[in-house]
Every structure is written in C-alpha cells, then in structure tokens.
Amino acid sequence: MFSAGLVLLPSARNVLGAVPRAACTPVSRSGMRYFSARSALRADDASESNPSSASSADEPKKTLPQKASHIVRSILHGSEQVRQETKDTLSKVLARGKYVHELAVHDVKPGRMDEYKSVVAELYPRIVRNLSPKVKLVGSWETDIGDLDTAIHVWEYQGYPALSEAYTLYKTESAYRELHQRLLPLLRKRNSQVMLEFKFWQTHPPVTKGGVYELRSYMLKPGTLLEWEQNWRVGVECRRHHEEPMGAWFSQLGDLNQVHHLWQYPDLHVRKKVRESAWSENGWPETVLNTVPLIQRMSSRIMLPMSFSSLK
C-alpha cells in the first residue's frame, strides 16, 4: 500500500474530463494508482514493440535494469508523459482562467470592529466605483464563529494587470492613502493571498440571501491539488442538490497548497440538516474518504456579511 504522499496524479486528460463521468460518481484513489502504473507498463512495452512510436528510430532498447528503473519512477512519480502534461497544463486544468482573486484577512483589535467597518464601508465601495469593471468586491464579512475580531474580504480582478493597477492606485492616490492610514491603527495584523477559482466552481454573482456564510479552508499536502480537484468536481455536484455553492479557490501567492470553499446557509440549523442530507448522495461519502488523507490542516469560519458586501 502506498502512503498518501505517494499517490500518483491522474493524467491531465482525465482531470480535464475528456472521458465524461456522471455527476456524483465516486473516484477511486486505488484505481488511479493502478491505472497510472499499468499505463506506464503498457507505454514502455508499446515503445519497444512499435519502433515508429519511439522518439528516435535509432534509440537503443532499454536493458532490463533500465526498464525496471523506469517503471519504479513511473509508480513513484508518474509517467514522463503524465508529468509533462501536469507541468504544462496545471493552471489551465484547474482554473477558470478569467479572473484573479484575492483573500484579505484583517485581524482587528478587540473593541475596534465598529470603527473598522465604518472605514472600510467608505474605502471599499469607492475602490469598486473607480476601478469597476476591472475590480469587484465579491464579499466582505465579519467572523462570528472561529477567529473572532477578524474581517474577511474576497476581491475579484480581471487578471494580474488589474491587480497591479489596483495595488498602484492604493499606494499613490491620496484619498485611498488617507483612508488606509485611518485603518492601520485598528488592526493587529493583515494577511493577503492571491488565488484562482476552480473551473468547475465559479464564484457566485452578487446576491442578497441573508443568513450566515461559511469559509472552509484546507491546507493540503504538497502535490495533491489535482487529486483534490478531481474528487471535489464530483463532490460539489452531490452538495449542489442540497445547497448552492458560493465559491472555491486555490492559492497562487502567499500561503501555498491552500484551498478555500465558500458556502451560504439561512442559519446554523439548516447547515446541519444540509450537511447530513449530503451523506445520502452516492459519491459524497467517497469524496470525503478520498480527500481527508490529502489534508494537513483545516479550519471553518462562520461569517456575517457587512452592509456593503456583494454577497450578503
């Protein structure tokens, strides 16, 4: 049995969905390993039995030790073809590609949250008015359960040029700098993370639903993001039968190997019922079983939207 850290990545063709799979159909982790190892063996045998498929007609045949070494490398690290596909297409496979998102986490000094919300309620809508449609505020929330005295903001940019333009504006325009200076004394620390949204789980457009939002954050083991995506591509369809997903992103800059899922519920009682109902869906138990071994650390925040949030 291979350890979780040695799970082979599926081929980019499978992740892209070239072979359609019914919604809520579970993914087998052992099947992924078996497929990858057998593919390596078949590819190695085919290249020897069919010289025209080799990279060079004059390429010498592998000796038995060389062949054995190639197979072991394939089992441990994936075939050369799979690794090249993964290297070339990782962002294209996982990301929608249209937008860049930013997660901003502000740790507010205790007792200063009302002052903080007053400043950002003036600052953030002004940024959106001046930079729209290149820059949008997906949502702004205050944590109600989890890391208290914390504000969460998710921004959406039309690519990295829009992100750079916004950062430059924050530093050079006097109006923004003045509001920013009013904000700093209210904070204990700040954290920023640039993210891409998963292709299969697009960020929800502005809507007013009320209730509470939940941001679930997962720190994954390095090298497991593709496997996470393939399982959650199924899992989100199982959950979609019971609730409407609001957004999902994976980190690109800042804390790496991190994934965030955003959900909305009318209240915590409905959240409990929805999560219990998901277990009746064929494929959801397997999604949990397959993805739990990929996680190093996870957290959950229950959040309340601020008055100017686009998702509230």
Side-chain angles (χ1 to χ4, degrees):
M1 179 69 69
F2 296 104
S3 68
L6 296 180
V7 172
L8 295 182
L9 299 178
S11 70
R13 179 173 179 267
N14 286 339
V15 178
L16 281 168
V19 180
R21 183 170 62 245
C24 242
T25 301
V27 178
S28 168
R29 297 182 74 221
S30 60
M32 290 164 61
R33 290 193 290 265
Y34 177 76
F35 172 81
S36 297
R38 280 188 62 86
S39 297
L41 286 167
R42 287 199 301 267
D44 193 72
D45 291 339
S47 65
E48 293 190 2
S49 62
N50 182 11
S52 62
S53 65
S55 58
S56 170
D58 299 326
E59 184 178 343
K61 242 184 185 180
K62 291 187 180 74
T63 65
L64 187 58
Q66 288 172 332
K67 187 174 181 179
S69 176
H70 170 72
I71 292 171
V72 170
R73 286 200 309 271
S74 297
I75 292 173
L76 292 177
H77 306 294
S79 69
E80 295 291 342
Q81 179 183 358
V82 169
R83 282 188 285 158
Q84 186 59 41
E85 287 175 345
T86 302
K87 177 181 177 181
D88 292 343
T89 65
L90 180 58
S91 294
K92 294 180 182 178
V93 167
L94 296 180
R96 186 180 174 194
K98 189 175 182 181
Y99 301 107
V100 171
H101 288 80
E102 180 186 16
L103 175 67
V105 180
H106 292 174
D107 188 354
V108 182
K109 292 179 179 178
R112 309 296 295 273
M113 182 60 77
D114 287 342
E115 295 176 71
Y116 170 87
K117 290 192 289 187
S118 176
V119 175
V120 294
E122 183 179 354
L123 174 61
Y124 286 179
R126 179 182 294 187
I127 293 173
V128 173
R129 286 194 302 269
N130 291 345
L131 295 179
S132 181
K134 294 181 180 180
V135 178
K136 296 179 181 178
L137 181 62
V138 173
S140 292
W141 299 270
E142 174 186 358
T143 299
D144 194 44
I145 300 176
D147 297 329
L148 299 180
D149 300 309
T150 302
I152 306 292
H153 308 279
V154 177
W155 292 90
E156 181 177 278
Y157 305 92
Q158 288 187 353
Y160 285 102
L163 174 68
S164 299
E165 181 180 346
Y167 276 25
T168 300
L169 190 67
Y170 302 157
K171 296 174 182 177
T172 57
E173 291 290 331
S174 59
Y176 296 120
R177 291 176 62 185
E178 180 183 343
L179 288 169
H180 185 67
Q181 290 301 315
R182 287 170 52 191
L183 200 63
L184 291 180
L186 308 177
L187 301 176
R188 290 189 294 187
K189 65 177 181 179
R190 297 176 293 163
N191 183 272
S192 177
Q193 189 177 74
V194 174
M195 317 175 294
L196 299 178
E197 62 181 345
F198 284 105
K199 186 180 295 185
F200 67 91
W201 190 339
Q202 297 181 9
T203 305
H204 201 288
V207 66
T208 299
K209 286 179 168 284
V212 299
Y213 285 77
E214 180 179 16
L215 184 67
R216 298 179 68 86
S217 300
Y218 306 88
M219 180 66 75
L220 304 184
K221 296 175 182 178
T224 61
L225 184 58
L226 277 174
E227 190 174 350
W228 178 274
E229 187 270 354
Q230 188 176 52
N231 281 282
W232 264 99
R233 183 184 288 271
V234 176
V236 74
E237 295 303 323
C238 301
R239 294 286 294 270
R240 205 185 296 274
H241 297 163
H242 303 274
E243 60 189 313
E244 188 173 11
M246 306 304 288
W249 307 272
F250 59 96
S251 61
Q252 288 285 286
L253 298 171
D255 292 331
L256 301 178
N257 302 306
Q258 200 161 20
V259 171
H260 305 279
H261 295 176
L262 181 64
W263 307 90
Q264 187 276 339
Y265 306 97
D267 55 48
L268 293 180
H269 181 70
V270 172
R271 173 188 179 274
K272 174 179 178 292
K273 293 295 185 182
V274 164
R275 292 177 61 83
E276 289 174 350
S277 299
W279 288 96
S280 65
E281 294 283 348
N282 179 36
W284 176 246
E286 289 81 1
T287 297
V288 175
L289 178 66
N290 291 343
T291 55
V292 164
L294 311 180
I295 301 171
Q296 288 185 316
R297 185 174 71 250
M298 60 184 293
S299 65
S300 170
R301 293 184 177 96
I302 299 298
M303 310 181 301
L304 302 176
M306 297 184 184
S307 60
F308 55 89
S309 178
S310 298
L311 293 178
K312 59 185 176 183

